[in-house]
Amino acid sequence: MNTTGDTTREEGKKNLNFIETMVENDLKEGRNGKRVHTRFPPEPNGYLHIGHAKAICLDFGLAQRYGGKCNLRFDDTNPVKEDTEYVDSIMEDIHWLGFDWEDRLYYASDYFGQLWNFAVDLIKKGLAYVDDQPAEVISRQKGTPTQPGTESPYRTRSTAENLDLFERMNQGEFEEGSRVLRAKIDMTSPNMHMRDPIIYRIINHPHHRTGSAWKVYPMYDFAHGQCDYFEGITHSWCTLEFEVHRPLYDWFIDQLKDSDYRPRQTEFNRLNLTYTVMSKRKLLQLVKENYVNGWDDPRMPTLCGLRRRGYTPESIKSFIDKIGYTKFEAVNDVALLESAVRDDLNIRAPRVSTVLDPVKLIVTNYPEGQIELMEAVNNPEDESMGSHEIAFTQELFIEREDFMENPPKKYFRMTPGQEVRLKNAYIVKCTGCEKNETTGKIEKIYCEYDPQTRSGMPEANRKVKGTLHWVSTAHSLEAEVRLYDRLFCVENPNEDKDIDFRSLLNPDSLKILKNCRVEQELAKAKVSDKFQFQRLGYFSVDPDSEKEGRLIFNRIVPLKDSWSKTVK
Ligand code: ATP
Ligand code: MG
């Protein structure tokens, strides 16, 4: 194994976070034979969300950086909620982020036999017993953080009876919920998790991997730490809510271990995002109740949703890197994620011209039937991306909102008597408009171009305050554009437990524009290709495009900084 690894951070990043510091110390002290072995342990009961990406970047990312390994382990201890659909999607999402578990794909269910044997050992040592009481009674006897619990009347059962009952629980002899196996620890412990926790329960539901081989299933708390141990995990990172479970995990390992080695658990703060929910239960509810169009709805914080929306793995990783890992819970501003994708696409996405709400602009002094191919730079941030051609003709489309007949002062866009620049083409002066006689809606705008101001000519440098984007009516294509807004109306839909989170959904989170026009260059666009629509934002080709054989774009984020500033 490569134990030297690359123990230095990339340049420009000076501070180690507390977990990195810990790993570096462990390596310096030669702990675990200088091994760094982590795992990412999702429960296959939903799709991964951006919060999971934070755990993935740590588990896989740090293992990679320190020359270690990271296992993928599905914590499939609850057959009722789990499914292979989730298993497949989780693997796809981890790969998409750029990580790989090589040949180390495991399932907690791989260890059901070992866990069973361990439970039997605990019984034999007098450290576990079968409790016949219903769940409510067991829960009532747990006490409160300030009041000790009450011991179960079954706590003193003989080893022989416990072994017999546990075996029969697994033979399917008893009803679900009628008996459980509990660890015998301490009903007066100040840590509620140590008060004789349930470690096995009866579940009559086939498991997605083990079928109906088992009738009893280990609790997550009884599986997680031991699986880490079985796999030789050195660093077990999880979110803060598991801190109080740690003494229990350690207690189990104390009963199990036969050497000095033990996995070390360290907790970090969860990723929470403003204007969304992150709990898998709630996300599932949004999907099941059709508040969104599936797990990959581009408004969802799921990785497949973000991917479909057009987010890049790089932008997600850069966002996670920025928010960092601490011991303090916080809600992260979604604007930070948006700025990360803007930064990423700013350097990568070609600029194209598209009109979302088209109105005709007629250049009256431009020869009818003439076509000029104008040069459009693909990305001013990166010359190597070259340029493409855009056709200029007498009839164009511009954005309806870029024209005003009677504008307020300091209006720099199209208005009668005023000059504006048409990006990459000419300076034009508006001469008037034509309205629908009954509705008053503007149907055509007229202008004259100045032939001396073609882009690149000296006169083109004439000072004009507004620059507008446009497409040729004849040389553009129809497209559908889907605009997304926040999924929820409030920053933190989880804040008030008495309010149903579904009532806080933003009714205007999806707006579909059917009659948009995009420049011909986009005929070549493939699913997931990303573009900057000039002055409008970053957009990605939706998979429906391929399915339906027409152009459909998702808006990833609107633009913040661009030359549109001069006109807005
Ligand atoms: P939920 O509570 O919504 O069901 P979970 O935490 O139980 O989610 P798991 O599949 O068990 O989901 O999570 C796998 C790993 O990802 C765990 O180590 C967990 O700590 C981590 N994780 C889950 N949510 C977040 C989050 N929001 N931020 C950071 N890490 C997370
Ligand atoms: Mg969990």
Side-chain angles (χ1 to χ4, degrees):
M1 161 174 292
N2 173 8
T3 50
T4 52
D6 174 16
T7 53
T8 50
R9 295 299 308 262
E10 315 92 277
E11 264 185 55
K13 189 146 188 206
K14 291 154 214 95
N15 299 322
L16 297 183
N17 67 42
F18 74 105
I19 295 179
E20 292 162 332
T21 304
M22 180 181 289
V23 175
E24 296 206 356
N25 283 339
D26 289 349
L27 286 171
K28 225 179 281 164
E29 289 166 13
R31 255 174 178 256
N32 298 309
K34 286 197 168 183
R35 281 190 312 119
V36 175
H37 200 153
T38 63
R39 84 291 167 267
F40 174 63
E43 187 182 352
N45 62 351
Y47 282 64
L48 295 183
H49 51 58
I50 189 168
H52 292 112
K54 178 172 176 176
I56 291 170
C57 287
L58 191 70
D59 296 329
F60 282 97
L62 286 203
Q64 209 169 46
R65 181 165 333 129
Y66 292 105
K69 294 177 175 172
C70 179
N71 296 357
L72 171 60
R73 186 203 314 137
F74 287 102
D75 261 315
D76 53 353
T77 49
N78 185 354
V80 182
K81 292 188 180 164
E82 294 155 6
D83 200 89
T84 46
E85 172 195 348
Y86 300 132
V87 169
D88 296 342
S89 75
I90 288 171
M91 295 201 277
E92 184 184 353
D93 289 346
I94 297 172
H95 276 150
W96 177 67
L97 283 176
F99 297 110
D100 188 31
W101 50 91
E102 296 167 336
D103 57 351
R104 295 176 308 279
L105 168 62
Y106 303 107
Y107 293 83
S109 53
D110 296 340
Y111 308 105
F112 281 175
Q114 274 163 282
L115 290 166
W116 166 271
N117 290 341
F118 178 44
V120 168
D121 275 352
L122 288 180
I123 295 175
K124 286 182 182 160
K125 285 189 193 162
L127 293 174
Y129 61 96
V130 173
D131 197 331
D132 301 355
Q133 302 180 105
E136 314 83 71
V137 177
I138 294 178
S139 151
R140 220 178 307 128
Q141 287 170 349
K142 275 231 151 164
T144 66
T146 50
Q147 276 178 322
T150 314
E151 293 189 354
S152 160
Y154 298 97
R155 202 173 195 262
T156 50
R157 246 179 184 150
S158 74
T159 299
E161 193 184 1
N162 279 320
L163 286 174
D164 174 59
L165 285 171
F166 189 42
E167 181 62 44
R168 285 161 58 200
M169 278 166 67
N170 196 37
Q171 297 302 326
E173 214 174 290
F174 310 121
E175 296 275 295
E176 256 184 44
S178 64
R179 283 185 168 82
V180 291
L181 185 70
R182 298 176 68 180
K184 192 191 280 189
I185 308 179
D186 180 2
M187 288 305 289
T188 65
S189 170
N191 182 333
M192 300 285 286
H193 296 281
M194 301 296 275
R195 295 185 187 175
D196 290 11
I198 295 172
I199 59 177
Y200 263 93
R201 74 266 210 228
I202 302 168
I203 299 179
N204 284 317
H205 194 282
H207 186 279
H208 70 107
R209 297 196 79 233
T210 59
S212 47
W214 298 90
K215 294 281 181 290
V216 290
Y217 290 90
M219 300 296 290
Y220 177 83
D221 273 356
F222 189 68
H224 187 76
Q226 284 92 294
C227 291
D228 279 352
Y229 179 79
F230 297 142
E231 290 177 9
I233 299 305
T234 56
H235 298 82
S236 181
W237 296 314
C238 60
T239 36
L240 286 172
E241 69 272 21
F242 291 104
E243 190 164 8
V244 284
H245 297 241
R246 183 163 16 107
L248 177 60
Y249 298 169
D250 283 341
W251 187 88
F252 289 134
I253 300 301
D254 283 340
Q255 315 309 317
L256 187 63
K257 77 183 173 108
D258 52 9
S259 70
D260 279 346
Y261 154 74
R262 73 184 313 144
R264 173 135 144 242
Q265 175 174 309
T266 307
E267 305 83 13
F268 62 90
N269 62 337
R270 293 179 85 84
L271 186 164
N272 300 296
L273 267 191
T274 51
Y275 297 101
T276 193
V277 293
M278 211 69 95
S279 132
K280 278 192 275 189
R281 185 180 57 77
K282 289 182 181 169
L283 294 174
L284 179 66
Q285 219 172 341
L286 293 178
V287 173
K288 286 253 154 92
E289 296 170 14
N290 296 315
Y291 288 101
V292 294
N293 305 314
W295 285 97
D296 69 345
D297 186 301
R299 292 166 291 180
M300 290 279 270
T302 49
L303 292 177
C304 55
L306 291 165
R307 174 164 68 237
R308 180 164 182 180
R309 172 94 164 241
Y311 274 86
T312 56
E314 291 79 5
S315 63
I316 291 173
K317 289 195 268 194
S318 136
F319 163 67
I320 285 168
D321 203 43
K322 279 195 197 106
I323 59 171
Y325 297 82
T326 74
K327 281 279 189 188
F328 308 99
E329 288 298 2
V331 182
N332 307 105
D333 191 342
V334 68
L336 212 57
L337 175 64
E338 292 169 346
S339 104
V341 78
R342 262 188 218 111
D343 287 349
D344 185 34
L345 293 181
N346 181 39
I347 53 172
R348 299 207 271 164
R351 275 57 172 167
V352 290
S353 196
T354 62
V355 177
L356 300 190
D357 184 11
V359 62
K360 270 189 187 163
L361 174 70
I362 318 290
V363 189
T364 48
N365 61 339
Y366 193 82
E368 201 184 328
Q370 179 168 309
I371 305 167
E372 272 181 282
L373 295 176
M374 303 300 195
E375 185 187 7
V377 169
N378 285 334
N379 190 340
E381 305 287 324
D382 182 357
E383 249 180 50
S384 73
M385 284 175 66
S387 61
H388 67 274
E389 286 175 335
I390 177 169
F392 186 82
T393 54
Q394 190 191 49
E395 251 195 36
L396 308 171
F397 283 122
I398 61 167
E399 295 290 349
R400 185 168 287 281
E401 64 160 39
D402 279 340
F403 174 80
M404 262 180 117
E405 202 179 4
N406 300 299
K409 269 189 191 160
K410 296 205 172 172
Y411 183 80
F412 300 132
R413 301 185 225 178
M414 184 86 61
T415 188
Q418 183 159 290
E419 281 197 327
V420 289
R421 184 186 309 281
L422 296 180
K423 178 79 177 170
N424 298 321
Y426 291 101
I427 292 173
V428 298
K429 185 188 238 174
C430 181
T431 52
C433 66
E434 187 182 306
K435 289 183 217 165
N436 179 300
E437 276 177 16
T438 38
T439 61
K441 193 175 174 185
I442 289 163
E443 289 185 333
K444 280 180 189 161
I445 300 162
Y446 297 101
C447 71
E448 288 177 357
Y449 85 118
D450 178 346
Q452 301 308 311
T453 59
R454 185 182 155 135
S455 185
M457 291 172 119
E459 261 305 289
N461 297 329
R462 202 157 80 209
K463 204 160 163 53
V464 173
K465 286 213 168 119
T467 304
L468 305 184
H469 62 276
W470 52 273
V471 295
S472 155
T473 54
H475 301 265
S476 60
L477 308 164
E478 194 174 271
E480 175 176 318
V481 171
R482 300 173 180 170
L483 302 177
Y484 302 100
D485 198 353
R486 314 278 194 236
L487 187 51
F488 288 88
C489 296
V490 296
E491 259 194 28
N492 186 356
N494 305 304
E495 197 164 39
D496 190 337
K497 300 277 174 275
D498 296 330
I499 298 179
D500 184 340
F501 76 106
R502 291 168 298 184
S503 69
L504 302 171
L505 280 162
N506 175 4
D508 301 317
S509 60
L510 170 62
K511 205 159 136 196
I512 298 179
L513 307 176
K514 293 270 189 195
N515 302 309
C516 309
R517 303 295 303 192
V518 302
E519 66 169 283
Q520 226 153 15
E521 180 73 7
L522 286 171
K524 304 181 228 162
K526 292 188 296 297
V527 169
S528 297
D529 280 356
K530 294 162 204 2
F531 301 93
Q532 185 193 101
F533 287 5
Q534 279 181 327
R535 293 178 62 219
L536 300 171
Y538 291 100
F539 293 73
S540 176
V541 181
D542 190 84
D544 281 349
S545 232
E546 201 171 74
K547 260 189 245 157
E548 299 181 21
R550 60 196 181 99
L551 282 171
I552 304 172
F553 293 92
N554 293 318
R555 182 171 70 189
I556 312 167
V557 273
L559 276 194
K560 213 166 191 177
D561 311 296
S562 76
W563 47 270
S564 68
K565 264 200 168 163
T566 56
V567 290
K568 290 215 166 161

